[in-house]
Amino acid sequence: MNDLKLRTKPSGSDVQLFDAVVIGAGFAGLYALYRLREMGLAVRLYEGAGGVGGTWWWNRYPGARVDFPSAPYYSYSFSEELLNEFEWKERQPSQAEVLSYLDFVADKLKLRTHIQLETWIQDAVFDEIAQRWNIETHLGEHISTQFLISAMGTLSEANKPNIPGIDDFAGEIIHTGRWPAEEVKFAGKRVGVIGTGSSGIQSIPMIARQAEHLTVFQRTPQYSIPAGNRPVKPEEIADARANFDKRREFMKVSPLGMPYPMSERSALDDSPEVRNALYETLWQDGGLHMLFNSYNDLLTNKAANDTLCEFIREKIRSIVKDPETVKKLLPDYILATKRQAIDDGYFETYNEDHVDLVDLRDDPIVKITADGITTKNGEHPLDMLVLATGYDAITGKLLRLNPKGRGGLDLATAWDKRFFTYLGVAIPGFPNLFMVHGPQSPSVLYNMPYGGEMEGDWIRDCIAYLRDNNIATIEPAPGVDEPWAENVEEAAKQTLFHGTDSWYSGANIEGKHRQFIVHLGGPEYFKHLTDVAEKNYEGFVLGKESATLASAKA
Ligand code: N01
């Protein structure tokens, strides 16, 4: 134990003391910072990027935008002032617009004095004697904090594919999730894109507009839906502002935390003619409404799901002219069990003469060389390579930090066999560590800004309870993770998600546990969080001795 204290220099004049440290300046981290500061804690937020924004800071790739018809709803819901003062421009705001919103929020809520940018937390060790986290930044700073809040993002640990020779490529390689702030020029270049998930599908049409030649390397064809983006109408904003409270009430009971009514009909209740007419209307309107405003059983009934799969396959056949390319583009998995993509002219791009599609299922990559990509059937000379290859989702970033909890046990060892948490917010053996959008919480299958607010509120209330009751530590009781994992698995089994290899279940990362780690309960999940709090944090062990709060000392 003393070793642990020595390793992170827990005492001495150069140690900065906080009540709470938040890691990550995305939607969730900024909100947690705001709430904890409001309750009077000494709190600091650390962020590795050069600005606030989280995923919206890093994902500057061409075409990046919110994939829900969301303005003004992809935003904080708690403040009428924020809603009234920010003017959203597009129905599906671009990366730049969301980033400018988060900059506006950071200024408006006066958060910046509590944020340290360009600082990576590289070590976090729980000191069992002091009952505090000892943290070290990459700059060699030492911090001691009672509470550590991870808001590091669910899609933030970029997946660099393990392709032979990838480091030999002589041209520029860019991952979509680590896109440079300065303009990337494609003109006159032969560009290759590996990956056709949401990021690939959004960026491919934009890259094709500039590049001399574009080769897309596709492993799994996707069902993409037109985005249908357009300027947001003044009456839509006026309506959102006039119905601020009503909207929050609606979101609270909505399965996905969205302010939209969901369909209550089965896809099998309608005749093919009626069903296809509805799909056509929603296709023309664009966006993910197609999934939620059409029928209620697309994710639970394979026969229902098949109807939309076939509708979209028929669209692909009608848009793409070359029959060989059509064959490569026709998806065959269960729709929406991989994250549903939306696009702006994606399938049309394959009608361009300077765009080629390589189907890696028939023609796999053998290696990357200095000059391009070698597949089984040929050479693809390239000047630039875009990796749209996704993320070690949900657990990747926290595992990279690899915090050490009780007895010096590190997280990678604790999660060696499977991921386990309690409520998706805490991990047995890691006292006073809270996660926002952690594994086994609704995270990516829920309205993330809104879910982050509710989890942030829960963490704030929990810390207030501990303070009021002179309690130093909180951590899950032994064994509570088992029923929680069963609860998460059980919810997933009621759906079609189990039928597909996806990043929701770790299938995209070699060696990662194959475990579905998203809680699909929506409002039930948040009710459960509230119930636990109301029962004085049932399922948690509360440590009796109080650590001195930095704010109380100051
Ligand atoms: O990543 P992905 P993404 N060789 O994992 C392929 C959110 N998001 O960055 O499907 C060849 O979905 C991989 O193939 P396969 C959204 O939640 C939101 O696109 O595994 N190919 C797949 O095609 C999204 O789901 C927005 O067979 C390889 C692609 O790379 C999440 O972020 C926009 C490969 C990865 O797709 C991640 O999306 C963008 C290899 N070795 C993203 N490894 C919004 O609009 C991987 N692939 C809000």
Side-chain angles (χ1 to χ4, degrees), residues 216-221 323-330 332 357-366 374-378 380:
V216 177
F217 298 87
Q218 169 197 272
R219 194 162 65 181
T220 306
E324 286 309 306
T325 308
V326 169
K327 268 194 225 160
K328 294 179 196 172
L329 283 170
L330 290 182
D332 53 10
L357 177 63
V358 178
D359 179 356
L360 298 179
R361 295 188 295 189
D362 280 347
D363 185 13
I365 296 176
V366 176
T374 306
T375 59
K376 190 182 85 181
N377 297 336
H380 303 275

Short mmCIF file of all heavy atoms in Angstrom, two decimals, residues 216-221 323-330 332 357-366 374-378 380:
data_model
loop_
_atom_site.label_atom_id
_atom_site.label_comp_id
_atom_site.label_asym_id
_atom_site.label_seq_id
_atom_site.Cartn_x
_atom_site.Cartn_y
_atom_site.Cartn_z
N VAL A 216 -12.67 2.37 -52.15
CA VAL A 216 -13.28 2.05 -50.86
C VAL A 216 -13.08 0.56 -50.60
O VAL A 216 -13.41 -0.28 -51.44
CB VAL A 216 -14.80 2.38 -50.86
CG1 VAL A 216 -15.43 1.98 -49.54
CG2 VAL A 216 -15.01 3.87 -51.13
N PHE A 217 -12.52 0.24 -49.42
CA PHE A 217 -12.30 -1.15 -49.02
C PHE A 217 -13.38 -1.52 -48.01
O PHE A 217 -13.36 -1.04 -46.87
CB PHE A 217 -10.89 -1.30 -48.43
CG PHE A 217 -9.81 -0.96 -49.42
CD1 PHE A 217 -9.37 0.36 -49.58
CD2 PHE A 217 -9.26 -1.95 -50.22
CE1 PHE A 217 -8.39 0.67 -50.51
CE2 PHE A 217 -8.28 -1.64 -51.15
CZ PHE A 217 -7.84 -0.32 -51.30
N GLN A 218 -14.33 -2.34 -48.47
CA GLN A 218 -15.52 -2.63 -47.67
C GLN A 218 -15.51 -4.08 -47.17
O GLN A 218 -15.38 -5.01 -47.96
CB GLN A 218 -16.76 -2.40 -48.53
CG GLN A 218 -18.05 -2.92 -47.91
CD GLN A 218 -19.16 -3.06 -48.94
OE1 GLN A 218 -19.88 -2.12 -49.19
NE2 GLN A 218 -19.26 -4.22 -49.55
N ARG A 219 -15.67 -4.23 -45.85
CA ARG A 219 -15.76 -5.60 -45.32
C ARG A 219 -17.22 -6.02 -45.17
O ARG A 219 -17.59 -7.12 -45.51
CB ARG A 219 -15.03 -5.68 -43.97
CG ARG A 219 -14.79 -7.09 -43.50
CD ARG A 219 -13.73 -7.16 -42.44
NE ARG A 219 -14.12 -6.49 -41.21
CZ ARG A 219 -13.35 -6.40 -40.15
NH1 ARG A 219 -12.13 -6.91 -40.16
NH2 ARG A 219 -13.76 -5.78 -39.07
N THR A 220 -18.05 -5.08 -44.66
CA THR A 220 -19.47 -5.40 -44.49
C THR A 220 -20.31 -4.32 -45.15
O THR A 220 -20.21 -3.15 -44.77
CB THR A 220 -19.85 -5.48 -42.99
OG1 THR A 220 -18.97 -6.40 -42.35
CG2 THR A 220 -21.28 -5.93 -42.80
N PRO A 221 -21.13 -4.68 -46.15
CA PRO A 221 -22.02 -3.65 -46.73
C PRO A 221 -23.08 -3.22 -45.72
O PRO A 221 -23.45 -4.00 -44.84
CB PRO A 221 -22.66 -4.38 -47.92
CG PRO A 221 -22.38 -5.81 -47.78
CD PRO A 221 -21.31 -6.01 -46.77
N PRO A 323 -24.22 -3.47 -62.11
CA PRO A 323 -24.77 -4.63 -61.38
C PRO A 323 -23.74 -5.32 -60.48
O PRO A 323 -24.08 -5.83 -59.42
CB PRO A 323 -25.22 -5.58 -62.50
CG PRO A 323 -25.22 -4.78 -63.76
CD PRO A 323 -24.35 -3.59 -63.57
N GLU A 324 -22.46 -5.33 -60.88
CA GLU A 324 -21.43 -5.96 -60.03
C GLU A 324 -21.24 -5.18 -58.74
O GLU A 324 -21.08 -5.75 -57.66
CB GLU A 324 -20.09 -6.03 -60.79
CG GLU A 324 -20.05 -7.09 -61.87
CD GLU A 324 -20.49 -8.47 -61.35
OE1 GLU A 324 -19.91 -8.92 -60.33
OE2 GLU A 324 -21.43 -9.07 -61.93
N THR A 325 -21.29 -3.85 -58.86
CA THR A 325 -21.15 -3.01 -57.66
C THR A 325 -22.38 -3.17 -56.76
O THR A 325 -22.25 -3.22 -55.54
CB THR A 325 -20.96 -1.52 -58.07
OG1 THR A 325 -19.90 -1.46 -59.01
CG2 THR A 325 -20.64 -0.65 -56.89
N VAL A 326 -23.53 -3.29 -57.38
CA VAL A 326 -24.76 -3.51 -56.59
C VAL A 326 -24.60 -4.76 -55.73
O VAL A 326 -24.86 -4.75 -54.52
CB VAL A 326 -26.00 -3.67 -57.50
CG1 VAL A 326 -27.21 -4.15 -56.71
CG2 VAL A 326 -26.33 -2.34 -58.19
N LYS A 327 -24.11 -5.84 -56.35
CA LYS A 327 -23.96 -7.11 -55.61
C LYS A 327 -23.09 -6.92 -54.38
O LYS A 327 -23.38 -7.43 -53.30
CB LYS A 327 -23.31 -8.16 -56.53
CG LYS A 327 -24.31 -8.99 -57.29
CD LYS A 327 -23.60 -10.19 -57.89
CE LYS A 327 -24.06 -10.35 -59.33
NZ LYS A 327 -23.16 -11.15 -60.15
N LYS A 328 -22.01 -6.14 -54.56
CA LYS A 328 -21.08 -5.94 -53.43
C LYS A 328 -21.73 -5.11 -52.33
O LYS A 328 -21.40 -5.24 -51.15
CB LYS A 328 -19.83 -5.20 -53.92
CG LYS A 328 -18.97 -5.97 -54.88
CD LYS A 328 -17.78 -5.09 -55.29
CE LYS A 328 -17.08 -5.61 -56.52
NZ LYS A 328 -16.07 -4.66 -57.02
N LEU A 329 -22.66 -4.22 -52.73
CA LEU A 329 -23.22 -3.26 -51.76
C LEU A 329 -24.44 -3.79 -51.00
O LEU A 329 -24.90 -3.14 -50.06
CB LEU A 329 -23.60 -1.96 -52.48
CG LEU A 329 -22.45 -1.03 -52.85
CD1 LEU A 329 -22.94 0.09 -53.76
CD2 LEU A 329 -21.79 -0.44 -51.61
N LEU A 330 -24.98 -4.94 -51.43
CA LEU A 330 -26.22 -5.39 -50.79
C LEU A 330 -25.95 -5.99 -49.40
O LEU A 330 -25.28 -7.02 -49.28
CB LEU A 330 -26.92 -6.43 -51.67
CG LEU A 330 -27.52 -5.90 -52.97
CD1 LEU A 330 -28.23 -7.03 -53.72
CD2 LEU A 330 -28.47 -4.74 -52.72
N ASP A 332 -26.55 -7.95 -45.79
CA ASP A 332 -27.30 -9.17 -45.50
C ASP A 332 -27.41 -9.44 -43.99
O ASP A 332 -27.85 -10.51 -43.59
CB ASP A 332 -26.67 -10.37 -46.21
CG ASP A 332 -25.19 -10.49 -45.92
OD1 ASP A 332 -24.72 -9.75 -45.03
OD2 ASP A 332 -24.51 -11.29 -46.57
N LEU A 357 -14.97 0.15 -55.70
CA LEU A 357 -15.32 -0.53 -54.45
C LEU A 357 -14.66 -1.90 -54.44
O LEU A 357 -14.85 -2.69 -55.37
CB LEU A 357 -16.84 -0.68 -54.37
CG LEU A 357 -17.40 -1.44 -53.17
CD1 LEU A 357 -17.08 -0.71 -51.85
CD2 LEU A 357 -18.92 -1.62 -53.30
N VAL A 358 -13.89 -2.17 -53.39
CA VAL A 358 -13.28 -3.50 -53.24
C VAL A 358 -14.04 -4.24 -52.14
O VAL A 358 -14.15 -3.74 -51.01
CB VAL A 358 -11.78 -3.38 -52.86
CG1 VAL A 358 -11.17 -4.76 -52.64
CG2 VAL A 358 -11.03 -2.60 -53.93
N ASP A 359 -14.58 -5.40 -52.48
CA ASP A 359 -15.32 -6.21 -51.51
C ASP A 359 -14.32 -7.13 -50.81
O ASP A 359 -13.87 -8.13 -51.39
CB ASP A 359 -16.39 -7.02 -52.27
CG ASP A 359 -17.18 -7.91 -51.33
OD1 ASP A 359 -16.85 -7.96 -50.12
OD2 ASP A 359 -18.12 -8.56 -51.81
N LEU A 360 -13.99 -6.78 -49.58
CA LEU A 360 -12.92 -7.52 -48.89
C LEU A 360 -13.34 -8.94 -48.52
O LEU A 360 -12.49 -9.77 -48.19
CB LEU A 360 -12.49 -6.76 -47.62
CG LEU A 360 -11.91 -5.36 -47.85
CD1 LEU A 360 -11.56 -4.71 -46.51
CD2 LEU A 360 -10.67 -5.42 -48.74
N ARG A 361 -14.63 -9.23 -48.63
CA ARG A 361 -15.03 -10.61 -48.33
C ARG A 361 -14.59 -11.55 -49.45
O ARG A 361 -14.28 -12.71 -49.22
CB ARG A 361 -16.54 -10.68 -48.09
CG ARG A 361 -16.93 -9.89 -46.83
CD ARG A 361 -18.36 -10.08 -46.44
NE ARG A 361 -19.28 -9.53 -47.43
CZ ARG A 361 -20.59 -9.42 -47.24
NH1 ARG A 361 -21.12 -9.81 -46.10
NH2 ARG A 361 -21.37 -8.90 -48.17
N ASP A 362 -14.55 -11.00 -50.68
CA ASP A 362 -14.07 -11.80 -51.83
C ASP A 362 -12.61 -11.56 -52.12
O ASP A 362 -11.93 -12.41 -52.68
CB ASP A 362 -14.84 -11.40 -53.11
CG ASP A 362 -16.20 -12.05 -53.15
OD1 ASP A 362 -16.41 -12.97 -52.34
OD2 ASP A 362 -17.04 -11.62 -53.97
N ASP A 363 -12.16 -10.37 -51.78
CA ASP A 363 -10.82 -9.94 -52.21
C ASP A 363 -10.12 -9.28 -51.00
O ASP A 363 -9.93 -8.07 -50.95
CB ASP A 363 -11.01 -8.91 -53.37
CG ASP A 363 -9.70 -8.49 -53.98
OD1 ASP A 363 -8.67 -9.13 -53.71
OD2 ASP A 363 -9.71 -7.48 -54.72
N PRO A 364 -9.72 -10.08 -50.01
CA PRO A 364 -9.21 -9.51 -48.76
C PRO A 364 -7.87 -8.79 -48.90
O PRO A 364 -7.11 -9.08 -49.84
CB PRO A 364 -9.07 -10.74 -47.84
CG PRO A 364 -9.06 -11.92 -48.73
CD PRO A 364 -9.78 -11.55 -49.99
N ILE A 365 -7.62 -7.89 -47.96
CA ILE A 365 -6.33 -7.20 -47.93
C ILE A 365 -5.26 -8.19 -47.52
O ILE A 365 -5.41 -8.93 -46.54
CB ILE A 365 -6.36 -6.01 -46.92
CG1 ILE A 365 -7.37 -4.96 -47.38
CG2 ILE A 365 -4.97 -5.40 -46.74
CD1 ILE A 365 -7.56 -3.79 -46.42
N VAL A 366 -4.17 -8.20 -48.30
CA VAL A 366 -3.02 -9.07 -47.96
C VAL A 366 -2.04 -8.27 -47.14
O VAL A 366 -1.56 -8.70 -46.10
CB VAL A 366 -2.35 -9.60 -49.26
CG1 VAL A 366 -1.12 -10.42 -48.93
CG2 VAL A 366 -3.35 -10.41 -50.08
N THR A 374 -2.31 -4.00 -51.09
CA THR A 374 -2.32 -5.21 -51.92
C THR A 374 -3.45 -6.10 -51.42
O THR A 374 -3.49 -6.46 -50.24
CB THR A 374 -0.98 -5.98 -51.77
OG1 THR A 374 0.08 -5.09 -52.06
CG2 THR A 374 -0.93 -7.18 -52.71
N THR A 375 -4.39 -6.41 -52.32
CA THR A 375 -5.44 -7.37 -51.97
C THR A 375 -5.14 -8.67 -52.71
O THR A 375 -4.23 -8.72 -53.56
CB THR A 375 -6.83 -6.85 -52.37
OG1 THR A 375 -6.84 -6.63 -53.78
CG2 THR A 375 -7.18 -5.58 -51.63
N LYS A 376 -5.92 -9.70 -52.39
CA LYS A 376 -5.69 -11.01 -53.01
C LYS A 376 -5.65 -10.89 -54.53
O LYS A 376 -4.83 -11.51 -55.20
CB LYS A 376 -6.82 -11.96 -52.58
CG LYS A 376 -6.58 -13.41 -52.95
CD LYS A 376 -7.75 -14.27 -52.53
CE LYS A 376 -8.83 -14.24 -53.59
NZ LYS A 376 -10.02 -15.00 -53.31
N ASN A 377 -6.52 -10.03 -55.08
CA ASN A 377 -6.64 -9.97 -56.54
C ASN A 377 -5.89 -8.83 -57.21
O ASN A 377 -6.02 -8.64 -58.42
CB ASN A 377 -8.11 -9.87 -56.95
CG ASN A 377 -8.88 -11.10 -56.53
OD1 ASN A 377 -8.30 -12.16 -56.35
ND2 ASN A 377 -10.18 -10.96 -56.33
N GLY A 378 -5.18 -8.01 -56.45
CA GLY A 378 -4.49 -6.92 -57.16
C GLY A 378 -3.87 -5.86 -56.27
O GLY A 378 -3.92 -5.93 -55.04
N HIS A 380 -3.53 -1.71 -55.32
CA HIS A 380 -4.30 -0.47 -55.33
C HIS A 380 -3.37 0.67 -54.90
O HIS A 380 -3.23 0.94 -53.71
CB HIS A 380 -5.49 -0.60 -54.37
CG HIS A 380 -6.37 -1.76 -54.70
ND1 HIS A 380 -7.38 -1.70 -55.63
CD2 HIS A 380 -6.35 -3.05 -54.25
CE1 HIS A 380 -7.96 -2.89 -55.73
NE2 HIS A 380 -7.35 -3.73 -54.90
#
